[in-house]
Amino acid sequence: MASGVSFSVSATDGRARTGALVTPRGAIRTPAFMPVGTAATVKAMLPENVRETGADILLGNTYHLMLRPGAERVARLGGLHRFMNWDGPILTDSGGFQVMSLADLRKLTEEGVTFRSHVDGSKHMLSPESSMEIQRLLGSDIVMCFDECPALPAPRERVADSMRLSMRWAARSRDAFGDRPGHALFGIQQGGLEQDLRAESAEALTAIGFDGYAIGGLAVGEGQDAMFGVLDHAPQMLPADRPRYLMGVGKPDDIVGAVRRGVDMFDCVLPSRSGRTGQALTRRGAVNIKNARHADDPRPLDPDCPCPCCRSYSRAYLHHVFKAGEIISSMLMTWHNLHYYQELMQGLRDAIAEERLDAFAQGFERRRAGGDLDPL
Amino acid sequence: MASGVSFSVSATDGRARTGALVTPRGAIRTPAFMPVGTAATVKAMLPENVRETGADILLGNTYHLMLRPGAERVARLGGLHRFMNWDGPILTDSGGFQVMSLADLRKLTEEGVTFRSHVDGSKHMLSPESSMEIQRLLGSDIVMCFDECPALPAPRERVADSMRLSMRWAARSRDAFGDRPGHALFGIQQGGLEQDLRAESAEALTAIGFDGYAIGGLAVGEGQDAMFGVLDHAPQMLPADRPRYLMGVGKPDDIVGAVRRGVDMFDCVLPSRSGRTGQALTRRGAVNIKNARHADDPRPLDPDCPCPCCRSYSRAYLHHVFKAGEIISSMLMTWHNLHYYQELMQGLRDAIAEERLDAFAQGFERRRAGGDLDPL
């Protein structure tokens, strides 16, 4: 791996692994969930409180940050860590996925993507080389290769062409990244739902050589069964001594299933976005706080949860502040959801270390299925 | 005063006083600024963080709370303190001012005010008796008499009629409040800008007898000169051994001027509302964070401010998150503003205790006037 960055597996249980990815800015305990800090903030949270939930690392979005406030500006201000007051590791995506889903008038060529900003209409270019430069300016600890992927379902030929373009871009990303001690570069496997294309992609990436490997192009509309179908094979195609990161995933049960299939790292906007829209994620399933039945309920979201939201606030209060459009609703429910996700990751890490992941996963499913006598 | 509630003045400087209003839920150091928690939340703040800014007491709005979530519901859930997770004292207004400014189809009679909710159109009645009952259900520590006042300027006759109605309502409020150990009832002086009407109102209230006295009907469009003109006389019309509360005031310089004229308590939405709209209030005047000149500024809002916003975030960051519409903008800037207000109050209390209020006020004005070499 890059000097100054190391990954070690301390225990396995079936295909699942637990360990740590160590960077100069701190260790990332795996399996790890990375809260998403799109525009240099995990929405509705102070970074010290994100840390308190148990997060070791945040994700930042290159596309958003390059447009506003701009990567050069962030660099002048001392880098993204200082800018957003987070001194732990930061992983940045490459901008490839977001430019294809958010930008206006985008045009894809072998060179890269030209597009207009969704913020102010200004014209921009993203390529493997410019993405590496932007992520360097941001000060990212874990840099992602510039790639491209189709929404699923997509014709096999489209998936194959896209994957091969991404592999050529992966080689250019590797060249452009160069040698940056203390900073890691991850390749991204593509290939949609096609096992042979996934294998071809894994081979191409492994030949180039990366500090870690992401599984990309999932959680784009294919459904959990199809995703797990890919994950039954894809992680094993990637080097066992490097971290495996499933991008943009997912719901709690997606994560449990993916960890069992050998995935080490995750990111998703779900806990923070759900928090803002009034959905709490708990050990006993989802709670829609908008529902009128919560208006007089003195219980917390989850009586067994030690987070600040559950320690001090009733569902009746959360229902009230959500209905009243108060900011504290987003603050408290995001905090709970991020805490729940980190607690889930700690549970998974402990279960793997103690070789009881099957029992953990069964208990997880039983609680979600409403086995509790006091339904939420 | 009501048993279990006491007010003592520990030092004076000119007409200014410092001391404490002690309730069973804690002492309120005076002069005191009360952050406004309209709908059971100080917007964009967790209550423990409001406490950290130095606030001893919050204000809740009866009008908003009676409509949503409802006073009976709050009572069933254990009262407003428990509901909103604030264990310090709470003062509630009577609903009188807000019903006249916010409700639909309101109709004023000797009995009280009927109106329709601005939330859902439901029909309601507020009277001295119902206001006392609602404030009791909320669990308010300091209850305000039900009153009514015109926006200024207003014809003298309208001001006089309104004041006399409020005095009849004050007597009914006193009767309806009864004897509630540990809970205080404050009367509200009215009379607009007319000194003789202010005196008549003060006499009427003093004859009834209250635990504290508010100066109402100001900060309603009359301007600072006119307000200070009233405050040159109004506080001295009220009993010296009871706290004097100037309702709905105000800007930092309003507060400094009012403290010098003998006022002990204040409330205002300005620090929290300004925080949400991108205006920071600092020792050296206001900072409009929306201004493009902050986009590259690595300095905090106020380099001498120890609040969490100024300790860890640049103006460039605050500018970015404001422009991006991120919730953290409201969180950080509200925190700063509330911290600044509480620091101002502590400065006033210390200056009075050390009999150097004139020098403190001069320094306050000099900094605001831009005497600093590094303008904000």
Side-chain angles (χ1 to χ4, degrees), chain A residues 228-250:
Chain A
F228 282 173
V230 172
L231 295 179
D232 284 338
H233 305 283
Q236 270 54 51
M237 300 172 182
L238 300 168
D241 63 346
R242 298 295 154 99
R244 300 162 182 157
Y245 160 31
L246 179 56
M247 301 184 80
V249 173

Side-chain angles (χ1 to χ4, degrees), chain A residues 38-49 64-65 68-69 73 76-77 82-85 276 295-298 308 312-314 316-318 320-321 323-328 330-332 335, chain B residues 38-49 64-65 68-69 73 76-77 82-85 276 295-298 308 312-314 316-318 320-321 323-328 330-332 335:
Chain A
T38 298
T41 166
V42 176
K43 292 182 194 298
M45 292 288 287
L46 296 180
E48 56 266 41
N49 298 338
H64 290 83
L65 292 167
R68 186 171 57 192
R73 173 170 285 141
R76 281 197 303 274
L77 291 161
R82 181 165 167 189
F83 186 61
M84 70 183 293
N85 190 33
R276 297 196 305 285
D296 281 295
D297 194 334
S312 303
Y313 299 91
S314 62
Y317 183 76
L318 296 172
H320 163 64
V321 288
K323 299 289 275 188
E326 292 288 349
I327 289 172
I328 199 172
S330 295
M331 295 165 66
L332 291 173
W335 198 326
Chain B
T38 297
T41 166
V42 177
K43 291 180 194 301
M45 293 287 288
L46 296 180
E48 56 266 40
N49 298 340
H64 290 81
L65 293 167
R68 186 171 58 192
R73 173 170 286 141
R76 280 197 303 273
L77 291 161
R82 181 166 166 188
F83 185 62
M84 70 183 292
N85 190 33
R276 297 196 304 286
D296 281 296
D297 194 334
S312 303
Y313 299 91
S314 63
Y317 183 76
L318 297 172
H320 163 64
V321 288
K323 298 289 275 188
E326 292 288 348
I327 289 173
I328 199 173
S330 294
M331 294 164 67
L332 290 173
W335 196 326

Side-chain angles (χ1 to χ4, degrees), chain B residues 7-12 17-20 30 349 352-353:
Chain B
F7 178 66
S8 60
V9 171
S10 57
T12 61
R17 309 111 63 87
T18 185
T30 63
R349 291 192 294 264
I352 296 165

Side-chain angles (χ1 to χ4, degrees), chain A residues 173-256:
Chain A
S173 293
R174 175 81 267 181
D175 286 346
F177 181 80
D179 181 30
R180 299 184 56 213
H183 299 264
L185 179 64
F186 278 28
I188 306 174
Q189 182 200 48
Q190 293 292 352
L193 307 181
E194 316 285 335
Q195 199 173 328
D196 60 327
L197 297 180
R198 288 273 166 193
E200 179 185 330
S201 179
E203 274 174 49
L205 294 174
T206 310
I208 300 168
F210 289 97
D211 302 313
Y213 295 84
I215 298 164
L218 295 178
V220 290
E222 74 280 7
Q224 192 187 65
D225 286 348
M227 181 174 78
F228 282 173
V230 172
L231 295 179
D232 284 338
H233 305 283
Q236 270 54 51
M237 300 172 182
L238 300 168
D241 63 346
R242 298 295 154 99
R244 300 162 182 157
Y245 160 31
L246 179 56
M247 301 184 80
V249 173
K251 297 192 300 294
D253 51 314
D254 293 335
I255 290 175
V256 171

Side-chain angles (χ1 to χ4, degrees), chain B residues 116-130:
Chain B
R116 287 191 183 275
S117 162
H118 74 284
V119 175
D120 62 6
S122 58
K123 202 172 169 182
H124 296 268
M125 161 78 176
L126 266 174
S127 67
E129 292 75 19
S130 70

Side-chain angles (χ1 to χ4, degrees), chain B residues 68-130:
Chain B
R68 186 171 58 192
E72 293 80 3
R73 173 170 286 141
V74 171
R76 280 197 303 273
L77 291 161
L80 184 56
H81 300 79
R82 181 166 166 188
F83 185 62
M84 70 183 292
N85 190 33
W86 171 263
D87 64 4
I90 294 175
L91 180 149
T92 45
D93 65 10
S94 70
F97 181 82
Q98 310 246 340
V99 73
M100 297 310 284
S101 55
L102 292 176
D104 296 329
L105 291 174
R106 52 188 185 272
K107 190 178 160 199
L108 179 72
T109 66
E110 181 69 28
E111 174 60 16
V113 186
T114 57
F115 62 96
R116 287 191 183 275
S117 162
H118 74 284
V119 175
D120 62 6
S122 58
K123 202 172 169 182
H124 296 268
M125 161 78 176
L126 266 174
S127 67
E129 292 75 19
S130 70

